[in-house]
Amino acid sequence: MKNTILVLCALATATAAIAQKDKQKSEKNATIWKGYPVARQLATYKTLPLKTDISSLSEAEKETLRHLIRAAKTADDIFWIQAWGDKNVLLSDAKNDTVRRFMELNYGPWDRLNDNGPFVKGVGDKPKGANFYPKDITREEWNNWDHLDKNNPYTIVQRDVRGNLVMVPYHQAYEEKIREMVKHLSLAANAIRPEDEQFAGFLEERCNALSQSDYNKSDIAWLGLLKNRLDIIIGPIENYEDEFQGARTAFESYVLIRDMAWTGKLERYVSLLPSLQQSLPVATAYKPALAMNSTQPVVPDGNAGVQAIEVSPAVSAQAARPGSSLAVFDVVYYAGHNNAGSKTIAVNLPNDETLQQEYGTRRSQLKNVMQAKFDNMVKPIANLMLSEAQAAKVNFDAFFNNVMFHEVAHGLGVKNTVNGKGTVREALGAGFSPIEECKADVLGLYMITRLLESGDLEGNVEDFYITFVAGTFRSVRFGAASAHGKANMIIFNTLVSKGAIIRQKDGKYTVKVQDMKKVISSLAAELLTLQGDGNMQGVANMLDTRAVISDTLKADLSAIEKAGIPVDLIFEQGADVLGLDK
Ligand SMILES: [Zn+2]
């Protein structure tokens, strides 16, 4: 019999993948090429070097890193082909450096943060199927095409000499580039093998996968990697680039270095979940006992470190899936899809639902990029929106802890309703995701408050609270359509209505910390009760009344645009930026 596993990020199991692009569309409509404000659009991105401290890496690790970065560059080349075609032809057409840089950022002549508006004369609209399908394919032809596996994510669709549709697997379509990628990954495996046999083994599995367009075995090997210092995500992964069918996957790569200090911290915090669960301000039925999953590894190779088990009530098949393990990395190289337009700050993989059911997922928080976004976006927004004294308390350490405790707090509360309505997810339907995200935000702050009181966490509670509110302004800057945006607004509006956030006469906001502490407790109870009761009507009321941006706040947020605070980042990256060049 299986136990019920509390997943760390329940949202992760709801969606096939959160390669959380943190992507926000500009509210302007696509503009025609003529007079396209390329310089102005480029200026909404801030350019900075992507770095981390590599001084403690061994020589073998540094050598491995060089090969991993070279492998990642080939993923970048393939993504260019997938998104546009011949990169060199396009770039040689650029009439100046600004246009060239904007093409590189967008991997083509269409502005990704502006509804793919074309910014080069004569290119027309971006094909919905990017370069995965013949340019002249119609919806009708596609629908009439009788092919059992036509949505295979690792193939492109072409025409044969007679004009009929055929599928070509990636390892043939991009043969030369894949061979180059495999070569560098093999060299990386050889370099790291004396120090990390398991990681070398994964790299070899990945080479096999790329050579055969068959990824399951290497994905399973990757899920088992829990202590490796270096890591890489590489291959065809997300399907957003294919807007024709949403099927074909785009090449990308992240080259990663694990944050060892956070690995230990997370294990400790997750081990405190059972006692924190009991401290929640609700009746016992709404906080079933948790026990740590120490006896039974959930994922092969013993991925038991950050899991908790809900001891009762009875298990439902849906809740019995393995959880999401959580880890912290610095990124040293982005390539391909993830480097196009806005930059990802967290990635949850693999996307294959069958693998997720059996093995769970791995969520990686990308800390150095979160810091870059914090410094260039959250902090300046805080300075605009909060009173001066409070803006000064907004800091990255609090910001990062808030995010991590949000993830851990998904493990608190109930997964099953207390009144026989099945799982909370089933009972709440479409309302589940925003309420679950809201719960994770609120219980994350609740955990932080308790752990500060018990001395398990260092810092001032006001820093965490004020930084949380500053993060809200950033996340709803372009609207509150996402589950996270709705969650943020529920909390913000509740705090305002209870007098814990006050808008001063000058339009700046202040947080009343002691009042906020009380609101966190009462809102925690409210959310846990809505979930436990499977109260769909109550959730709908909450979303209608509180998951909205008031006109006052909307007007205040417009100051962010006027101040020219960046929309996203461009990284200067590579072995030279890291100081790895020999
Ligand atoms: Zn979440």
Side-chain angles (χ1 to χ4, degrees):
M1 194 190 104
K2 284 187 178 171
N3 290 304
T4 303
I5 310 300
L6 285 183
V7 294
L8 285 178
C9 187
L11 180 74
T13 63
T15 55
I18 308 170
Q20 190 184 319
K21 283 296 274 184
D22 204 33
K23 184 166 265 182
Q24 307 283 7
K25 278 186 179 164
S26 159
E27 293 190 340
K28 286 157 281 168
N29 289 321
T31 321
I32 52 165
W33 71 270
K34 200 172 178 184
Y36 197 88
V38 170
R40 199 184 73 202
Q41 290 294 90
L42 186 62
T44 63
Y45 291 82
K46 169 101 184 252
T47 300
L48 67 168
L50 184 61
K51 285 186 179 175
T52 188
D53 180 10
I54 57 161
S55 61
S56 63
L57 294 186
S58 69
E59 282 312 307
E61 285 170 331
K62 286 181 184 169
E63 184 60 16
T64 306
L65 205 48
R66 288 186 195 100
H67 293 301
L68 294 180
I69 290 173
R70 281 183 205 125
K73 284 181 177 171
T74 62
D76 204 71
D77 293 340
I78 297 175
F79 181 65
W80 260 106
I81 300 168
Q82 295 183 310
W84 155 258
D86 193 325
K87 166 185 177 179
N88 295 323
V89 167
L90 183 71
L91 292 181
S92 65
D93 253 10
K95 61 180 180 198
N96 58 44
D97 259 12
T98 307
V99 173
R100 182 193 310 272
R101 286 187 63 209
F102 204 52
M103 285 171 172
E104 286 172 342
L105 169 67
N106 286 289
Y107 290 74
W110 301 286
D111 184 352
R112 287 175 184 267
L113 292 198
N114 194 18
D115 285 337
N116 281 323
F119 57 86
V120 171
K121 185 180 182 179
V123 295
D125 289 336
K126 183 174 183 186
K128 286 278 173 231
N131 203 21
F132 295 112
Y133 304 85
K135 292 280 176 288
D136 59 352
I137 196 168
T138 62
R139 176 60 58 193
E140 193 188 4
E141 183 184 17
W142 175 261
N143 289 343
N144 290 334
W145 189 29
D146 190 18
H147 192 304
L148 276 178
D149 192 29
K150 67 182 178 182
N151 284 320
N152 185 313
Y154 308 122
T155 62
I156 58 168
V157 179
Q158 290 183 330
R159 291 194 189 282
D160 65 14
V161 284
R162 284 172 302 179
N164 296 323
L165 297 177
V166 287
M167 294 199 316
V168 183
Y170 283 173
H171 63 277
Q172 287 169 11
Y174 313 124
E175 190 179 357
E176 194 190 326
K177 289 290 168 193
I178 297 264
R179 215 184 292 137
E180 209 181 319
M181 188 184 287
V182 164
K183 183 184 90 185
H184 292 303
L185 290 176
S186 301
L187 288 168
N190 291 342
I192 201 66
R193 186 170 291 105
E195 294 185 4
D196 189 342
E197 181 72 38
Q198 193 191 12
F199 184 49
F202 156 71
L203 290 172
E204 293 203 322
E205 283 296 353
R206 203 62 182 169
C207 291
N208 295 335
L210 289 158
S211 306
Q212 300 161 33
S213 300
D214 181 358
Y215 292 90
N216 279 11
K217 252 180 103 179
S218 73
D219 281 345
I220 294 165
W222 181 76
L223 284 167
L225 295 173
L226 300 172
K227 304 277 178 193
N228 51 318
R229 186 75 188 273
L230 302 180
D231 205 348
I232 187 167
I233 293 168
I234 189 165
I237 293 172
E238 303 295 346
N239 58 17
Y240 309 120
E241 191 71 8
D242 173 7
E243 292 182 13
F244 182 64
Q245 271 303 97
R248 296 186 149 76
T249 46
F251 271 77
E252 66 181 5
S253 183
Y254 303 82
V255 180
L256 305 167
I257 300 180
R258 188 184 296 270
D259 186 314
M260 294 304 200
W262 262 101
T263 303
K265 276 193 220 179
L266 277 168
E267 278 176 18
R268 163 124 186 85
Y269 296 144
V270 173
S271 76
L272 296 171
L273 281 175
S275 66
L276 283 160
Q277 172 89 335
Q278 290 318 306
S279 82
L280 294 176
V282 274
T284 312
Y286 297 89
K287 46 179 179 181
L290 299 177
M292 294 316 298
N293 182 24
S294 55
T295 52
Q296 180 195 11
V298 178
V299 171
D301 302 302
N303 181 20
V306 287
Q307 308 273 351
I309 302 169
E310 191 174 311
V311 175
S312 63
V315 180
S316 91
Q318 190 186 6
R321 63 198 301 176
S324 167
S325 68
L326 184 61
V328 179
F329 292 91
D330 278 349
V331 204
V332 296
Y333 206 85
Y334 279 90
H337 182 256
N338 63 31
N339 195 41
S342 61
K343 306 299 178 285
T344 309
I345 54 169
V347 53
N348 193 54
L349 290 171
N351 286 334
D352 186 288
E353 295 217 10
T354 321
L355 287 184
Q356 290 187 359
Q357 289 284 352
E358 206 169 336
Y359 300 98
T361 61
R362 219 173 99 190
R363 186 182 174 92
S364 310
Q365 293 292 151
L366 310 179
K367 186 164 177 254
N368 58 337
V369 179
M370 289 180 72
Q371 168 111 46
K373 290 205 178 192
F374 174 85
D375 293 344
N376 291 287
M377 288 140 82
V378 180
K379 188 73 185 173
I381 287 172
N383 291 339
L384 273 181
M385 300 291 293
L386 292 169
S387 70
E388 202 180 330
Q390 293 211 329
K393 296 190 185 298
V394 174
N395 67 76
F396 178 68
D397 192 48
F399 181 75
F400 191 72
N401 273 282
N402 285 343
V403 171
M404 296 308 286
F405 279 102
H406 166 107
E407 293 303 330
V408 175
H410 274 301
L412 290 172
V414 281
K415 289 287 171 274
N416 297 292
T417 56
V418 301
N419 50 12
K421 288 189 188 171
T423 64
V424 175
R425 183 190 296 279
E426 288 159 355
L428 296 184
F432 173 77
S433 285
I435 295 303
E436 175 63 21
E437 292 311 322
C438 192
K439 179 205 85 175
D441 272 345
V442 171
L443 294 190
L445 291 169
Y446 182 86
M447 279 185 83
I448 285 169
T449 312
R450 287 284 160 278
L451 295 179
L452 286 168
E453 285 167 2
S454 67
D456 286 294
L457 183 66
E458 280 178 26
N460 296 313
V461 72
E462 55 183 355
D463 292 14
F464 293 92
Y465 286 7
I466 296 166
T467 301
F468 178 87
V469 172
T472 294
F473 296 129
R474 186 203 70 96
S475 91
V476 301
R477 175 178 175 186
F478 299 102
S482 69
H484 282 100
K486 289 191 174 106
N488 270 283
M489 287 322 300
I490 290 170
I491 299 166
F492 184 84
N493 287 323
T494 307
L495 290 168
V496 170
S497 72
K498 306 270 184 197
I501 291 180
I502 300 202
R503 185 179 183 277
Q504 299 170 329
K505 286 199 188 85
D506 61 2
K508 307 267 184 180
Y509 291 82
T510 52
V511 179
K512 294 174 79 179
V513 172
Q514 288 313 314
D515 292 318
M516 182 159 168
K517 195 182 274 186
K518 283 181 215 139
V519 175
I520 286 166
S521 270
S522 61
L523 190 51
E526 189 181 2
L527 292 161
L528 289 165
T529 308
L530 283 171
Q531 288 198 326
D533 293 343
N535 184 349
M536 199 180 219
Q537 189 55 49
V539 165
N541 290 344
M542 180 180 257
L543 290 170
D544 284 348
T545 54
R546 284 186 258 174
V548 290
I549 305 181
S550 71
D551 290 340
T552 310
L553 180 58
K554 225 175 264 174
D556 291 337
L557 288 168
S558 69
I560 300 171
E561 281 0 276
K562 289 191 199 103
I565 292 170
V567 167
D568 219 292
L569 307 171
I570 297 174
F571 291 123
E572 292 160 350
Q573 52 179 2
D576 52 341
V577 176
L578 285 173
L580 261 178
D581 273 353
K582 283 182 190 172

